[in-house]
Amino acid sequence: MTNDNSRSYSEKIHIWGRIWGVIAILMFISYPLVVSIYYSAWPDAGPFFKGLLGVAPVFWLVGAIEAFTYAPMLGSGGAYLGFVTGNLTNLKVPCALNAMESAKVKAGTEEADVISTIAIAVSSIVTVLIIFAGVLLLAPLQPILESPVLAPAFANILPSLFGALAVIFVSRNWKIALAPLLFMLVLFIAVPSLASSVSIMVPVGALIAIGVSRILYKKGKI
Amino acid sequence: MKDFSVNSIFLFAAAGLVVVFVVVQSVFFLVKAWKRAGELGIARDTLKRVVKGSAVFTIAPAISIILGVITLSKFLGLPLPWLRLSVLGALTYELPAATTAANALGIPIAQGVADPKVYSTIAWVMTLGIMSGLIIITFFSQKIHKGLNKIQSRDKSWASIFNAALFMGMISAFLGMIFAKITTGIVGWIPVFIMLISSVIMLVCGYFVKVRKVRWLEDYAISISMLLSMALSIPVTNLLS
């Protein structure tokens, strides 16, 4: 393998990523577009902007934050695919981290980029298949999935996921993890209502972690 | 005007087309990354483990996404939630976005939408309201990664600490969130207990992987911890509430 080769892959990924990304944006817009045309039902400006104002400020911010936090974690290929296929925090990002961990590749390298892309691609395909099966089998599945017996299991999916993730990542980087963890503990206990906007707190945690580890690094402690 | 139903064949076809497109894109990236992995000398065995591990990992979160589809389908029918949650969207956004849009329009979300105009308004708002991440990645990802490469070429060991710090920021935010309700009493502690149970199961898995050399377990340890602690949350919740 030569350096030339590797440069061309990462360049190609950006070209592919951009082309697929632009088509994806157009495809996503096509849904409301064809609905409006087919049913001759265009939204009135008033309600449309009122709705958009209610949704866009928060979710544009969250999306921007996610882009800047997750892009480095997922690598270039993984980021292009992950942001088209969605469900990042609750699925794609942990899945990619898990895959990079099990393949023993170092985040930020081209190996990690490739592994993360494969993990996200597989996860997207499996997600689409499972949800498709779910939609097909909705009638028999609905009472099971919505039964009060199972409700606690779905309510606790994030604690179940992050409890296990924490063991791997916090134990290895506890010096980096300590400060942001303590900060978040105090913050969320003091202001429980922040739980609904946890995504906005991710970059805050990242900045604290980066700041503290920069100091520790300069002092030669990590 | 054509007869409108939130579950019409036309809407299913329109949504299905987009879902198929995203599957094709996933396969495209999978093939390209797989080939590149071969050139980089990553063992085929490792790649197969990544594929299996990722597929198993996806099952529980994907099933919880179906639950989101069901919730939204009572209001918006199946095609739109199916589309939004299979691709692009996320459980955590689509529900609040649909609710906010409906509130702005002054429509109750308890019953199905019957007016195509209302439906198209909500579809437009959900589509345009949740797109910034994709737009930024599509047009600025190269810049972001160039910046990272600069850090990396300047100081390799700092670059890897920088990466670890990003992970820690994300993980600490979510771990903190799990404690958000502890002041409401014992029920508020349930997520904390579930998190601890999951950690303990993960430690047990780690023991078998590292000490007992049960290699296959390594790729499934997180999935097993997640599924078992989700299952255990049922008796724990019943016991405490």
Side-chain angles (χ1 to χ4, degrees):
Chain A
M1 184 203 70
T2 64
N3 256 343
D4 263 10
N5 224 336
S6 101
R7 206 174 299 136
S8 69
Y9 175 79
S10 83
E11 268 165 18
K12 274 190 232 153
I13 274 286
H14 285 295
I15 296 169
W16 296 328
R18 248 180 261 147
I19 294 173
W20 283 96
V22 169
I23 304 175
I25 293 170
L26 296 176
M27 291 292 281
F28 292 143
I29 292 177
S30 78
Y31 185 85
L33 190 66
V34 297
V35 168
S36 303
I37 295 171
Y38 184 80
Y39 291 107
S40 356
W42 292 87
D44 293 327
F48 168 72
F49 282 111
K50 213 170 151 200
L52 197 60
L53 261 178
V55 175
V58 176
F59 291 105
W60 276 75
L61 180 67
V62 170
I65 286 169
E66 285 193 345
F68 288 106
T69 343
Y70 293 152
M73 292 190 200
L74 299 176
S76 37
Y80 282 121
L81 190 57
F83 276 84
V84 169
T85 63
N87 284 297
L88 290 159
T89 313
N90 56 332
L91 178 50
K92 304 290 160 53
V93 175
C95 182
L97 292 184
N98 185 35
M100 289 188 264
E101 176 68 24
S102 97
K104 303 199 172 37
V105 288
K106 241 184 157 171
T109 60
E110 198 181 344
E111 283 79 0
D113 194 326
V114 166
I115 294 290
S116 147
T117 308
I118 294 176
I120 291 173
V122 170
S123 179
S124 305
I125 296 167
V126 173
T127 307
V128 166
L129 291 177
I130 291 180
I131 297 179
F132 185 61
V135 169
L136 281 182
L137 302 172
L138 193 65
L141 271 182
Q142 184 165 0
I144 303 170
L145 289 177
E146 284 192 318
S147 74
V149 181
L150 284 182
F154 291 114
N156 284 295
I157 191 159
L158 284 178
S160 304
L161 173 56
F162 280 90
L165 276 182
V167 170
I168 301 182
F169 292 98
V170 177
S171 65
R172 191 180 312 148
N173 303 294
W174 66 270
K175 283 182 189 165
I176 302 176
L178 199 59
L181 259 180
L182 286 176
F183 175 84
M184 289 297 165
L185 269 182
V186 173
L187 183 73
F188 279 103
I189 294 171
V191 195
S193 59
L194 276 177
S196 55
S197 43
V198 60
S199 297
I200 296 176
M201 298 318 293
V202 170
V204 177
L207 285 178
I208 295 173
I210 290 168
V212 169
S213 43
R214 186 71 197 173
I215 296 167
L216 290 173
Y217 180 66
K218 283 281 175 199
K219 288 190 172 168
K221 298 262 165 79
I222 41 173
Chain B
M1 198 197 286
K2 295 179 184 74
D3 277 344
F4 174 77
S5 143
V6 287
N7 284 320
S8 76
I9 302 276
F10 174 76
L11 294 180
F12 269 108
L17 195 69
V18 183
V19 173
V20 168
F21 164 80
V22 171
V23 171
V24 173
Q25 181 180 1
S26 302
V27 172
F28 175 88
F29 274 84
L30 179 60
V31 171
K32 295 289 181 190
W34 189 277
K35 274 190 194 148
R36 183 67 192 149
E39 288 166 16
L40 288 170
I42 302 174
R44 177 133 310 190
D45 215 38
T46 309
L47 297 182
K48 281 187 190 155
R49 276 181 27 222
V50 167
V51 169
K52 276 191 225 153
S54 304
V56 172
F57 184 93
T58 304
I59 295 172
I63 292 175
S64 79
I65 295 169
I66 298 179
L67 204 61
V69 176
I70 294 176
T71 313
L72 275 176
S73 71
K74 288 165 198 157
F75 169 48
L76 293 172
L78 272 174
L80 184 58
W82 170 48
L83 166 66
R84 300 292 307 180
L85 289 168
S86 294
V87 300
L88 187 69
L91 210 49
T92 35
Y93 308 154
E94 302 297 332
L95 211 58
T99 319
T100 315
N103 282 341
L105 296 171
I107 310 155
I109 56 163
Q111 64 206 51
V113 172
D115 181 351
K117 211 168 200 172
V118 170
Y119 183 84
S120 86
T121 307
I122 290 176
W124 275 109
V125 168
M126 285 173 82
T127 305
L128 298 179
I130 308 181
M131 211 175 234
S132 62
L134 177 59
I135 291 174
I136 291 172
I137 286 296
T138 301
F139 296 104
F140 301 105
S141 175
Q142 193 161 19
K143 278 220 169 98
I144 297 175
H145 283 102
K146 265 193 187 144
L148 288 169
N149 286 341
K150 236 185 224 164
I151 298 178
Q152 196 148 25
S153 57
R154 224 181 287 149
D155 186 345
K156 261 218 158 106
S157 49
W158 166 245
S160 85
I161 295 170
F162 181 87
N163 253 314
L166 275 178
F167 293 170
M168 287 306 118
M170 172 194 175
I171 291 177
S172 59
F174 280 92
L175 290 178
M177 180 197 72
I178 293 168
F179 287 81
K181 287 190 187 142
I182 57 171
T183 47
T184 61
I186 190 76
V187 177
W189 280 90
I190 292 173
V192 178
F193 296 144
I194 305 307
M195 175 194 75
L196 292 174
I197 290 172
S198 172
S199 301
V200 170
I201 299 170
M202 190 67 199
L203 286 172
V204 173
C205 289
Y207 166 80
F208 279 103
V209 171
K210 294 252 156 76
V211 182
R212 294 291 188 88
K213 310 282 175 211
V214 187
R215 287 281 174 237
W216 66 266
L217 190 60
E218 195 175 0
D219 303 322
Y220 304 103
I222 289 191
S223 308
I224 291 171
S225 311
M226 184 161 67
L227 287 173
L228 271 182
S229 42
M230 279 171 76
L232 285 171
S233 72
I234 296 170
V236 170
T237 306
N238 290 336
L239 204 71
L240 294 179
S241 47

